[in-house]
Amino acid sequence: SVGEHLLDLIRALGLEIDAQANEAALPPKGGETERALLGKARIGQGKFRQDLIARWDGRCALTGVDRLHLLRPSHIKPWSGSNNEERLHPCNAFLLSAAYDAAFDAKLISFADDGAMILAEDFSVSDAQKAGINPGLTVAALTEKNRTYLAEHRLLLTAREKRLAAGSTT
């Protein structure tokens, strides 16, 4: 469809659509399941992805998987909490395969300054393995800037754990 073609073109230009509001919206009356999108576009994502592919030699920073369709740019310091420079800085991200990206984004895993994987308290080794995550993997070749961003990511993981301990589900 024309809409799908437009979305493909937007992605090819390195833009992403912030769809959080759309995800939370109730379906419209009359059974329609599609609607026109209005949202913020992330500018510079295409170059950012290319910079990460170059930085990580086209491979997942953990597994070595080299199939680009399976790899995701994974921000260390979240986009929403970053300034314009941090959002597109290649040291503020890893190139990760999908399961690792999802767990990292959800603050279920992080990494120590030596690159060793850290599991959240509520994400056991067994849970990680069921999700296809090998807790024994490490990120090699960390830069000092990676470590700075990782310190912030670990704080977010700890804050998430404290919210869970206090009974919050978010």
Side-chain angles (χ1 to χ4, degrees):
S1 77
V2 172
E4 290 170 347
H5 178 70
L6 182 58
L7 287 174
D8 288 342
L9 180 60
I10 288 169
R11 288 184 191 108
L13 292 171
L15 304 175
E16 289 186 15
I17 296 174
D18 181 0
Q20 279 185 321
N22 195 40
E23 288 177 10
L26 295 174
K29 292 181 181 176
E32 291 295 324
T33 58
E34 293 183 339
R35 70 177 85 178
L37 287 178
L38 285 177
K40 294 180 180 179
R42 292 183 177 184
I43 299 168
Q45 287 289 96
K47 181 178 181 329
F48 176 68
R49 179 175 169 78
Q50 290 306 312
D51 290 346
L52 286 178
I53 290 169
R55 161 76 172 95
W56 297 102
D57 296 321
R59 298 177 182 281
C60 173
L62 288 165
T63 65
V65 168
D66 62 358
R67 303 291 292 217
L68 292 179
H69 287 92
L70 299 176
L71 302 178
R72 308 283 182 266
S74 191
H75 279 88
I76 301 170
K77 182 176 181 181
W79 177 276
S80 61
S82 297
N83 64 35
N84 287 333
E85 180 183 343
E86 293 169 332
R87 287 175 173 169
L88 299 176
H89 198 290
C91 287
N92 184 23
F94 298 121
L95 196 59
L96 297 175
S97 55
Y100 291 91
D101 169 53
F104 189 66
D105 189 51
K107 314 306 180 280
L108 295 173
I109 64 172
S110 192
F111 302 97
D113 282 345
D114 65 358
M117 189 180 300
I118 298 168
L119 298 180
E121 290 177 4
D122 64 323
F123 195 55
S124 69
V125 169
S126 176
D127 289 340
Q129 290 170 336
K130 287 177 191 173
I133 293 171
N134 177 349
L137 295 180
T138 62
V139 176
L142 291 177
T143 66
E144 282 306 312
K145 195 71 169 164
N146 288 140
R147 289 182 183 94
T148 299
Y149 288 123
L150 279 170
E152 292 186 54
H153 190 270
R154 290 189 300 267
L155 289 174
L156 293 172
L157 182 144
T158 301
R160 180 191 157 279
E161 291 174 336
K162 287 181 182 177
R163 283 192 310 273
L164 285 174
S168 173
T169 59
T170 58

